[in-house]
Amino acid sequence: MKKLLTHINSPQDLKKLSVSELPLLAQELREFIIDIIATKEGHLGASLGVVELTIALHYVFDTPNDKLIWDVGHQAYGHKILTGRKEIFDTNRQKDGISGFPKRAESEYDDFGTGHSSTAISAILGMAMASKLKNDQSKQHIAVVGDASIASGMAFEGLNHLGVSNTNTLIVLNDNAIGIDPSVGALKKYLTNVKKGTAKDENIFECLNLNYSGPMDGHDVHTLIAELERLKNVPGPKLLHVITTKGKGLKKAEENQVVYHAPGKFDKHTGERIHKTGEEQPPKYQDVFGHTLVELAKKNEKIVGITPAMPTGSSLKFMMDEIPDRAFDVGIAEQHAVTLAAGMATHGLIPFCNIYSTFLQRAYDQVIHDVALQNLPVVFCLDRAGLVGQDGPTHHGVFDLAYLRCIPNLTIFSPMNEMELRNMMFTVQQESTGPIAIRYPRGSGVNLEWKNQFEPIALGKARCLQEGSKIAILSIGHIGNRVSELLEKVENPDEVGHYDMRFVKPLDHKLLKQVFQTYDHIITLEDGCKMGGFGSAILEFANQENFTNPVKIFGIPDNFVEHGTISETHTMAGIDFDAIFSYIKST
C-alpha cells in the first residue's frame, strides 16, 4: 500500500495530493499518532477525532500565512505532524522535546500558545482585527473550538464581539459532546437538538450575527474541503459546525472517551491499557480528596461539591456517583464555579470547590470580590498544585501560594500527607473558618494506610518533625517528605531540624520565633514560586521580628519551567534532592 505520510513534511507537501488520496492519508495519520502515544503517552482521543478536519484545514488554507488556532490544544497532534514535526513527534511532552500543546516559539504554524480552554476565539479575533487595521484583506483567520470550550464564559465574550466585528474570521465548532469529561449544560442540550434537527427555529449563532453552516460530518474529508473552500469566499464572521467522534479509529478510545483522553501507555493493536505492576502504591491525593468528601458529606448534609469540568480529574466523580444531587459539574467555567460556591455559602452550605491550581488563576477576581471580601466559608481544594510534569508551563500550579497569600481573610493550608488532607477537610466542615485554600499535588501520597480516624487541626499551627541545633528546614506541603530522605543522608542529622509548617497563612509565629532563636540557619522548601510565596512569607516574618538569621529559599525561580517528568522539572527548578543536599553539606 502506498505510504503518503512519509512524504508529508509541510502543508505544501499535503497540497500535492489529490482529494481522493486524503482518506488514506487520514488513516496513516491516525496510525502514526496511535503508534507514538501507545508508548510515549499523551492526549490521544482529541487528536484522533480531528484527523480529517486537520487535513482539510491545512489542505484548503494557506498556513502559516492564514492563521489557525487550536483551542486548548489537546487536539493538535495531527497539526504538529503535518507541519514539520513528524520526525521529532516521538519527543512530544518529553524533556527538551516538543510541547504537548501549540507553542509559538516551537513553530511558525503555531499561531497562538494554548493550554487553557476557550481563549482561541478572542485570540483569532485579535489577529483578524489586526489584519483589518493593516488593510490586509487576503489573510484568513480560523479557530477550532470544542463544544465544551465554546460553552465557557470567555468564549461567549469572544463570540459576542466577533458578531459585530465584520472581520474575516471562521470559528470551527468541533462538536463531539465531550471535553475531558462529557460536556454539560444547556448549550450542550441545544447542540444535541441541532444535530437531531429538533432545535427551535432560531439558531443561536445566527442570532449572534455569525454566518452559520452545518452541522456536517467531520470525518468526511471531501465534504469538509468543499465547505471550507466555499467559506473562504464568504466575507465576515462565520461558524462551521462539524460533528466528530473523539477517539475515532481506535475502538477502545471511542468506547471509553473519558479514559482515552489521556490513557497512558496502551497496546496499539487492541487499545488495552498497560497497567503498571509491582508493589501497591499509595493513593493519589485526588482520590483521597474524593473518598474523604463522600465520607464527610454522608454525615454532614450541608456539604456540596463543585468542579469546573474536571469531575474525573479531581475525583469529585465519587460524590457525583454516590450523592448526585449535591455534587455539581458546572462546565469550563471557573469564575462561575467560585461565585456559585459563594452564593451557596451565604445560605449555610459548605461548598468544596475543587479546581486545579492552574485553572483557579482564571477566577482570581471572584476569589477576592465574591468570597474573601465577604469572608464566606468556601473551601477551595486546589489539585495539581506545584510542578505537574509533562503538561508543562500551561499547567504547572506554581503561583497559587503567591497569588492567594496577599488576599485578606483567606487561610492557606498544604498537607504533607494524606492524613493531613483528610483532617483539614474534616476540620473546615465542622466549624466556619472563613475561606480556605487546601493545595495538594498531582500524583500519589506517601501512605498505604491513610484512612485515619479524623482529628481536628488547629488553624495556623505547624508541627515539629525533628529537632536540631544548627539548621532548620521549614517545608510546606507534600515536598516536605523529601526532607526525611535528606536527613538519612546528611553527616550530622541531629544538627538539622525539620518543621512541617502546614499553613502559609496564618504562619505559626510562636513556633517561628523559637526556630529563629534556636537555629543559625533557616532553609525554606516549597513547590511554588519563590517570589511572593512561602519563603517570602518567612522573610517577611524575620524582618518584622528583627531576626537576622540567613534564610535560603528553595522554590520555583522567576521563569516558566518547561515540560518533563515531575522529577526532571524539580531538577530544572532547583528543588530536587541533590540541590538541597548539596546546599546543606556546604552550610
Side-chain angles (χ1 to χ4, degrees):
M1 188 166 64
K2 186 179 179 184
K3 289 290 184 184
L4 301 176
L5 185 59
T6 307
H7 306 288
I8 307 294
N9 295 304
S10 71
Q12 287 67 41
D13 294 332
L14 173 64
K15 294 175 197 293
K16 295 173 186 175
L17 300 180
S18 66
V19 174
S20 62
E21 291 177 297
L22 297 182
L24 175 58
L25 177 64
Q27 181 183 334
E28 290 183 23
L29 185 53
R30 274 201 176 87
E31 290 170 357
F32 186 87
I33 293 170
I34 290 169
D35 279 357
I36 301 289
I37 305 306
T39 57
K40 297 290 187 176
E41 304 185 15
H43 295 106
L44 179 70
S47 286
L48 293 183
V50 296
V51 162
E52 288 84 4
L53 178 60
T54 304
I55 291 170
L57 287 167
H58 281 295
Y59 195 80
V60 170
F61 292 102
D62 179 26
T63 55
N65 180 55
D66 290 336
K67 299 299 161 191
L68 173 61
I69 302 179
W70 301 87
D71 200 273
V72 185
H74 289 140
Q75 75 280 48
Y77 288 1
H79 159 79
K80 292 200 171 203
I81 293 162
L82 294 177
T83 55
R85 286 163 278 183
K86 181 180 67 202
E87 301 304 324
I88 56 171
F89 187 68
D90 63 344
T91 70
N92 181 50
R93 302 173 83 245
Q94 312 296 310
K95 182 177 180 290
D96 300 324
I98 62 172
S99 170
F101 298 96
K103 185 176 181 180
R104 279 170 55 83
E106 187 178 291
S107 170
E108 63 178 340
Y109 291 93
D110 290 1
D111 288 301
F112 198 76
T114 51
H116 291 184
S117 91
S118 315
T119 61
I121 297 173
S122 298
I124 204 67
L125 177 55
M127 293 177 184
M129 292 173 71
S131 294
K132 190 176 178 183
L133 287 168
K134 292 178 179 179
N135 202 27
D136 183 354
Q137 305 297 328
S138 64
K139 209 181 290 298
Q140 302 281 337
H141 308 87
I142 310 101
V144 181
V145 185
D147 58 283
S149 293
I150 208 167
S152 170
M154 186 176 177
F156 264 93
E157 292 171 22
L159 287 172
N160 184 52
H161 189 187
L162 175 64
V164 295
S165 69
N166 195 29
T167 56
N168 193 13
T169 308
L170 170 63
I171 307 302
V172 180
L173 171 56
N174 173 37
D175 185 358
N176 57 19
I178 186 166
I180 295 175
D181 285 277
S183 302
V184 298
L187 187 63
K188 179 203 175 173
K189 188 174 181 181
Y190 169 76
L191 292 174
T192 301
N193 290 339
V194 169
K195 287 181 274 191
K196 288 179 182 175
T198 59
K200 293 177 181 177
D201 290 341
E202 284 191 313
N203 179 293
I204 190 172
F205 300 111
E206 289 176 345
C207 291
L208 290 168
N209 204 32
L210 306 179
N211 188 318
Y212 173 88
S213 58
M216 65 172 52
D217 182 357
H219 301 299
D220 183 343
V221 72
H222 296 86
T223 304
L224 283 173
I225 286 173
E227 182 59 13
L228 291 171
E229 288 284 6
R230 184 187 75 82
L231 289 170
K232 263 170 73 171
N233 300 307
V234 175
K238 305 166 283 287
L239 186 138
L240 172 61
H241 185 179
V242 301
I243 312 302
T244 61
T245 300
K246 189 169 183 177
K248 178 77 171 175
L250 185 67
K251 191 167 183 285
K252 288 281 186 185
E254 292 182 36
E255 292 171 347
N256 195 338
Q257 295 173 327
V258 172
V259 167
Y260 282 80
H261 172 76
K265 294 181 180 178
F266 61 93
D267 185 304
K268 67 181 183 181
H269 301 294
T270 66
E272 290 288 346
R273 296 168 71 209
I274 298 170
H275 295 284
K276 294 174 184 172
T277 56
E279 293 182 14
E280 185 182 359
Q281 295 294 313
K284 294 179 179 177
Y285 276 100
Q286 68 181 63
D287 291 340
V288 174
F289 159 80
H291 289 302
T292 302
L293 188 63
V294 171
E295 192 177 338
L296 294 171
K298 285 180 176 177
K299 296 176 182 175
N300 187 343
E301 62 184 18
K302 293 180 179 179
I303 290 175
V304 291
I306 300 168
T307 182
M310 300 302 292
T312 301
S314 70
S315 294
L316 188 67
K317 189 80 167 59
F318 300 153
M319 187 175 179
M320 292 175 73
D321 289 341
E322 292 202 41
I323 317 174
D325 58 331
R326 285 161 51 201
F328 307 95
D329 175 2
V330 302
I332 302 176
E334 293 85 1
Q335 295 175 328
H336 167 59
V338 171
T339 306
L340 177 74
M344 288 178 161
T346 67
H347 274 47
L349 298 182
I350 305 168
F352 282 76
C353 188
N354 189 299
I355 302 182
Y356 286 13
S357 170
T358 185
F359 297 144
L360 187 66
Q361 295 162 190
R362 297 161 65 96
Y364 192 54
D365 180 61
Q366 286 69 28
V367 174
I368 296 171
H369 180 273
D370 300 339
V371 178
L373 182 61
Q374 303 181 86
N375 204 26
L376 294 171
V378 174
V379 184
F380 295 106
C381 293
L382 305 189
D383 199 342
R384 294 352 188 235
L387 293 166
V388 298
Q390 292 172 319
D391 278 344
T394 59
H395 283 61
H396 292 322
V398 298
F399 304 110
D400 52 12
L401 295 179
Y403 72 66
L404 293 175
R405 194 169 69 83
C406 59
I407 302 175
N409 294 336
L410 185 65
T411 298
I412 305 170
F413 174 83
S414 190
M416 188 170 158
N417 56 41
E418 302 92 323
M419 290 78 80
E420 285 197 332
L421 173 57
R422 282 171 56 78
N423 285 338
M424 182 48 68
M425 292 176 67
F426 170 74
T427 300
V428 296
Q429 56 87 48
Q430 273 195 314
E431 55 182 301
S432 175
T433 58
I436 182 168
I438 305 172
R439 57 107 68 178
Y440 47 90
R442 179 181 188 175
S444 297
V446 290
N447 295 286
L448 292 175
E449 301 297 324
W450 55 274
K451 285 194 175 180
N452 58 303
Q453 289 291 316
F454 291 120
E455 296 177 12
I457 292 178
L459 293 188
K461 286 295 179 186
R463 58 183 186 141
C464 175
L465 299 179
Q466 175 171 313
E467 291 185 343
S469 58
K470 182 182 175 186
I471 301 170
I473 302 177
L474 312 178
S475 65
I476 187 75
H478 174 82
I479 198 169
N481 293 291
R482 180 63 49 88
V483 178
S484 56
E485 301 170 37
L486 282 165
L487 295 177
E488 292 174 7
K489 300 273 178 82
V490 295
E491 290 180 10
N492 301 302
D494 22 342
E495 290 183 351
V496 184
H498 180 206
Y499 298 84
D500 172 23
M501 293 304 296
R502 305 204 285 194
F503 292 88
V504 175
K505 186 179 183 181
L507 289 171
D508 189 336
H509 282 213
K510 182 179 178 183
L511 181 138
L512 282 174
K513 285 179 181 178
Q514 292 175 356
V515 166
F516 274 83
Q517 288 164 355
T518 304
Y519 295 87
D520 301 327
H521 205 100
I522 313 297
I523 294 172
T524 70
L525 177 60
E526 63 195 295
D527 192 2
C529 62
K530 284 184 184 180
M531 296 182 70
F534 166 64
S536 291
I538 299 299
L539 284 177
E540 289 166 15
F541 164 82
N543 181 62
Q544 178 185 318
E545 299 293 333
N546 295 314
F547 288 116
T548 57
N549 316 46
V551 177
K552 170 67 175 178
I553 299 175
F554 280 94
I556 314 299
D558 186 25
N559 58 264
F560 290 104
V561 178
E562 292 300 327
H563 58 276
T565 64
I566 289 180
S567 174
E568 287 168 341
T569 57
H570 278 204
T571 300
M572 287 185 238
I575 57 171
D576 57 303
F577 178 95
D578 290 342
I580 304 165
F581 183 68
S582 297
Y583 183 80
I584 291 174
K585 276 178 68 177
S586 69
T587 303

